[in-house]
Amino acid sequence: MSLTRFNSVLAGAALAGAALFGVAGSAQAATYNGEWDPAYGAPFPNLFWKANATIFIPDSCLVSNGTFAAGSCAGLDITSATLSFYQNNAGAQGAFLESFVLNDNVAINSFVVAGNQFAGINTNFFDPVTNVTAPQAGGGTYGFALVLLNNTQAQLEYFTPPTVSVACLPGSPASLCGFSANAAVGTFTPTIPEPSTYALLIAGLGAIGFCARRRQR
């Protein structure tokens, strides 16, 4: 191989490697995991609940700090969400009871960026969970709906009978409808790159190494 052609191939490989590194960096910087894990309080004093949401936000939406309407960030999306119930063990998360995958097609109203990092989100109510069987959560008598609000908080609405519900209205009887008594303050942390991301990085480095070996022949 001529030196000119080698330099061309090596440059192409280097660009490919750089692109792969860019993809990995973007994925790591733009995918966040949110977690909320409070004790429920009245009317379920023996219940501890935990919500998780995975949020994808393009790097282009992290360049300015402040609170923004969701429509100002093309690509912002909740990619997964779960709701789990645990036994309340003296105010701490105890034995696991049951878990539910939420429909992640929920409307996002706004999001927060602080220090060029994703820092908060506000959504509508997720589709309600109506097949809860844990005795600590009413044993099927109640349904539950999650909402993310006030940037870092979450609330878990309860309602009976367990049918599709809207947000509780002011003055709704507590026996029929209400919200978790304890404030659920969440944290948002960048997720660790998936193994496939590392595979892409290795492939890019391998391409560069292959070209280097070809030059020595």
Side-chain angles (χ1 to χ4, degrees):
M1 178 186 293
S2 68
L3 181 60
T4 300
R5 184 178 178 188
F6 166 77
N7 287 337
S8 176
V9 173
L10 182 58
L15 288 173
L20 290 169
F21 274 104
V23 168
S26 175
Q28 184 177 10
T31 302
Y32 287 76
N33 182 67
E35 182 175 296
W36 300 263
D37 56 351
Y40 202 101
F44 307 105
N46 297 320
L47 185 66
F48 203 100
W49 63 277
K50 182 175 182 179
N52 289 91
T54 302
I55 302 137
F56 176 79
I57 177 169
D59 285 346
S60 58
C61 303
L62 298 173
V63 295
S64 299
N65 299 322
T67 301
F68 306 94
S72 65
C73 175
L76 173 65
D77 189 29
I78 294 179
T79 58
S80 67
T82 59
L83 172 64
S84 302
F85 291 120
Y86 297 82
Q87 173 71 36
N88 185 346
N89 185 12
Q93 180 179 304
F96 171 78
L97 299 174
E98 55 187 334
S99 185
F100 305 90
V101 176
L102 303 180
N103 182 352
D104 55 39
N105 188 27
V106 63
I108 300 173
N109 299 321
S110 62
F111 67 98
V112 179
V113 176
N116 300 112
Q117 298 286 313
F118 180 82
I121 191 169
N122 299 285
T123 73
N124 287 356
F125 279 87
F126 286 79
D127 287 348
V129 171
T130 59
N131 56 337
V132 177
T133 61
Q136 296 86 341
T141 305
Y142 293 87
F144 295 86
L146 175 72
V147 63
L148 308 180
L149 74 166
N150 296 333
N151 302 335
T152 60
Q153 296 183 19
Q155 281 280 15
L156 192 61
E157 176 192 22
Y158 68 88
F159 47 89
T160 187
T163 55
V164 174
S165 174
V166 296
C168 292
L169 299 175
S172 297
S175 59
L176 301 179
C177 181
F179 296 89
S180 48
N182 297 315
V185 179
T187 57
F188 298 98
T189 54
T191 59
I192 298 172
E194 295 293 330
S196 58
T197 301
Y198 288 116
L200 286 172
L201 292 174
I202 292 171
L205 293 173
I208 296 173
F210 172 78
C211 291
R213 287 195 300 272
R214 289 285 300 270
R215 181 185 182 186
Q216 296 174 354
R217 294 180 180 179

